[in-house]
Amino acid sequence: MKKVICLVLSIFFINSVQAMEYTEYGEFGPYTEEYIQSDNLTDVKVERRYKFYKLQKEFGEYSRTTNQNYPYLDKEDYIYTDYSNESILKPEEQEDRVIETLDGYHYQKIKDINYITIESSITSKTLSNIEFLYKGNKLDYTTSTEITQNDITLNSGKSITFHFKENIRVYDLIMSFDVKEGNDNGLFIRIGNNNEEYLYTILSYKLNNKNTWIGKNIRCYNSAFEEYYSTEKIEPTYIFKLIEKVQMYRYKDKLYHTYNLTRNYYDEYLSEPYEDYTYKDDTQYKDYYAKRTRNIITSETLKTNSNEHKIINQQQKIIPLNIVKQNTNINTNQYDKLDRTNYYPIKLNKINQLQTQSTPYLLYTFIPFILILVILILVLSKLYKNKRECAKVKTG
């Protein structure tokens, strides 16, 4: 008996497991940011989307080299510098540098001055009406000692310095003064600039009551000249002395536009590049979820589907002829009575498939119950037979 009961329970268990059937999954719905949990009735697919960006140039200044803020050079965007000053020194050859060779001239040029110092030699002297003319105009000056009543008294070995407010050329200078006392001995006159103490010296042993010195007649030291180079040919004068012809150089450099690359992100998360947003940032992403569902097939579901099939079958019994002609999958030869002028009757293949699938399912579902019923009959028959045998034993 125990074996029979176990068999019956096993059949019930198998029946309950095998009876769990599902419909086909539907189509996947739209993706959403909300998390969806999958289960027996819900199929979920996950799509990871990323932030995509495009690179944009942020420009800096034009330069030959890059820097920390702008580490790139745009080789298509460049300018040239102005030419450097001419020089007898050949510049260093570098990439993107244009060097020109020129014919030049070497001169000696008189240096400019900005002060004059007058010193008494042995005896004291009194000077007055001191005046400095430069190109016919009076020069403004300051003195190292204060002058009173336009007279200057210089004791033996003493001096006074006149500082001009601008640099001038000594050859265009005229100096005049009167001597009131002490014209028997001379004066020392030193002329220079702030960088070099003395460039010219005038020594006069005999002074007149009125004295005038012209700059172009003053003898100068070699230090009064400076070297001067030019591509311009200058006629020799008291200011310029031509020494020789020389070769001179000048150069200009090509400067490139420096820039940095910045990321411009697309507003939304994407699964693939969009237009010129072609670079993917692997560190910025978000998961999106889409689901499709199915149902458990029950006898109530089959009944509902059957009713729906009947309704659909009635509503879609006929269709227009022109639609039938467009659908090459419809076999019109299977119908006997056709109105080819207006309509063709059609069969709903999908509905028929569902109806066809329902019949084996019903048979498969009720087979276990039939087996159970047979087993119960056999058990009851066995019990009844045992009971009759027990009754015969008691009566005998």
Side-chain angles (χ1 to χ4, degrees), residues 12 24 244 276 295 307 312 336 375 380:
F12 271 107
E24 295 293 331
E244 60 181 342
D276 52 349
N295 297 318
N307 293 333
I312 294 173
D336 296 327
I375 291 171
L380 293 176

Side-chain angles (χ1 to χ4, degrees), residues 184-335:
D184 55 336
N185 291 301
L187 296 173
F188 286 112
I189 300 177
R190 297 182 176 89
I191 304 173
N193 58 35
N194 292 334
N195 297 325
E196 299 182 51
E197 185 174 1
Y198 301 123
L199 301 178
Y200 311 87
T201 299
I202 302 173
L203 179 60
S204 176
Y205 290 99
K206 182 66 176 178
L207 296 175
N208 300 317
N209 291 333
K210 292 185 178 293
N211 301 272
T212 300
W213 289 337
I214 300 174
K216 66 176 61 178
N217 296 329
I218 298 175
R219 189 179 67 179
C220 61
Y221 299 138
N222 289 332
S223 60
F225 290 92
E226 62 181 348
E227 306 303 322
Y228 181 78
Y229 300 88
S230 175
T231 55
E232 180 183 357
K233 189 173 183 180
I234 302 173
E235 292 296 327
T237 62
Y238 65 89
I239 299 174
F240 291 97
K241 294 181 179 180
L242 177 62
I243 305 301
E244 60 181 342
K245 289 184 178 182
V246 294
Q247 193 173 64
M248 300 187 69
Y249 306 92
R250 68 175 183 173
Y251 68 91
K252 63 179 179 178
D253 290 325
K254 182 186 286 188
L255 305 180
Y256 295 100
H257 214 169
T258 60
Y259 68 93
N260 192 9
L261 292 175
T262 58
R263 295 183 177 186
N264 183 4
Y265 283 90
Y266 191 69
D267 293 335
E268 301 176 3
Y269 289 87
L270 303 171
S271 58
E272 58 185 13
Y274 176 72
E275 293 183 352
D276 52 349
Y277 293 87
T278 56
Y279 297 95
K280 182 176 69 174
D281 188 343
D282 292 327
T283 64
Q284 297 191 47
Y285 59 85
K286 185 180 291 185
D287 290 333
Y288 288 77
Y289 303 87
K291 69 176 182 178
R292 61 179 181 175
T293 59
R294 64 181 179 179
N295 297 318
I296 300 174
I297 297 178
T298 62
S299 58
E300 186 65 26
T301 304
L302 292 173
K303 181 179 179 181
T304 303
N305 288 339
S306 179
N307 293 333
E308 290 178 352
H309 297 161
K310 291 179 180 179
I311 295 172
I312 294 173
N313 212 8
Q314 292 296 327
Q315 292 177 347
Q316 299 185 1
K317 192 172 183 179
I318 55 177
I319 60 173
L321 176 60
N322 58 346
I323 296 179
V324 174
K325 290 181 178 180
Q326 294 174 4
N327 190 346
T328 59
N329 295 326
I330 297 178
N331 184 4
T332 57
N333 295 327
Q334 60 180 314
Y335 303 102

Side-chain angles (χ1 to χ4, degrees), residues 11 36 55 149 153 161 188 201 220 237 318-319 333 351 388:
I11 292 173
I36 301 175
L55 294 176
Q149 298 179 352
T153 299
T161 301
F188 286 112
T201 299
C220 61
T237 62
I318 55 177
I319 60 173
N333 295 327
I351 296 176
R388 288 186 62 185

Side-chain angles (χ1 to χ4, degrees), residues 37-50:
Q37 178 66 47
S38 61
D39 53 36
N40 290 337
L41 300 179
T42 305
D43 183 23
V44 179
K45 65 177 179 179
V46 183
E47 182 177 81
R48 177 159 290 184
R49 300 179 184 178
Y50 294 86

Side-chain angles (χ1 to χ4, degrees), residues 130-141:
I130 298 177
E131 187 178 64
F132 299 97
L133 296 177
Y134 182 66
K135 295 182 178 180
N137 299 316
K138 285 186 178 183
L139 282 176
D140 292 331
Y141 59 83

